[in-house]
Amino acid sequence: LVHNLFFDKEEFTTREIPEHIWHFKSGVDTWAMNKIAGDGIKSFRTNCWEALKINNSTWSCATHPHNYYIEILADLGVVGVLIFLFIFFQIILIFYNYQKKHSHFIKHDYLLKVVFLLIFVELLPIKSSGSFFSTFNAAYIFLILSIFVAIISKSNKKI
């Protein structure tokens, strides 16, 4: 249903469909080639063209599908997405438990909230994004994650 709702090309003219939607569709088609484990990091750029041939599609290919979750699905399959989601939910749990445990004011509390929001907003599943594995976005995510971990570790040592 979702596939037909968003990707039924016959209902739209080329001008009405943003290019990112084309890349999302290519990512979903590429993921369908190897759903469980994917074909490896950065495999989308080569597998996309194969998926277009298999599906006899006129959608476009790029170096990445412009969405972190679709890229991880296409490159690492369901296994990779489950690992990614596990890490993401661990971050949310750590933040929640930290907030619950430390109800008193801590100097780094505001910084931690800002860093958490930056991580959360960057990893929203519905937004268009750069490549998770090869753009500045990945460096940004891992930098913010390291700051998050450092703040949590520093705060836990002081208590």
Side-chain angles (χ1 to χ4, degrees):
L1 177 65
V2 172
H3 184 271
N4 292 335
L5 183 66
F6 291 110
F7 298 125
D8 191 7
K9 191 175 180 181
E10 286 72 36
E11 293 181 20
F12 301 100
T13 65
T14 306
R15 273 199 255 142
E16 293 173 340
I17 302 174
E19 188 71 21
H20 286 76
I21 299 297
W22 292 35
H23 297 309
F24 293 174
K25 170 64 171 131
S26 298
V28 171
D29 288 347
T30 304
W31 167 65
M33 292 173 52
N34 193 350
K35 292 181 180 180
I36 302 300
D39 280 332
I41 294 175
K42 296 185 184 180
S43 63
F44 174 80
R45 37 186 98 200
T46 55
N47 291 343
C48 180
W49 297 104
E50 189 66 31
L52 288 180
K53 289 177 192 172
I54 290 171
N55 295 318
N56 196 18
S57 178
T58 58
W59 297 97
S60 67
C61 286
T63 56
H64 60 280
H66 295 81
N67 181 286
Y68 294 141
Y69 296 89
I70 295 174
E71 180 181 16
I72 293 170
L73 268 174
D75 289 350
L76 301 176
V78 173
V79 173
V81 167
L82 289 176
I83 292 169
F84 180 77
L85 288 174
F86 175 77
I87 293 169
F88 184 54
F89 287 119
Q90 285 296 106
I91 291 168
I92 293 171
L93 250 151
I94 289 168
F95 180 75
Y96 174 75
N97 288 333
Y98 177 86
Q99 291 297 315
K100 196 167 100 176
K101 183 179 176 183
H102 301 94
S103 59
H104 58 283
F105 177 78
I106 295 177
K107 182 169 83 173
H108 303 290
D109 198 38
Y110 290 116
L111 180 60
L112 181 67
K113 288 177 182 174
V114 168
V115 169
F116 175 77
L117 285 174
L118 289 172
I119 294 168
F120 191 78
V121 168
E122 184 64 28
L123 297 178
L124 283 174
I126 58 172
K127 74 181 201 102
S128 180
S129 61
S131 174
F132 185 76
F133 298 112
S134 63
T135 62
F136 175 75
N137 296 2
Y140 171 76
I141 289 169
F142 289 112
L143 176 67
I144 295 297
L145 280 174
S146 64
I147 293 170
F148 179 81
V149 169
I151 293 169
I152 292 287
S153 297
K154 186 175 182 179
S155 295
N156 286 339
K157 285 181 184 176
K158 286 185 176 182
I159 293 174

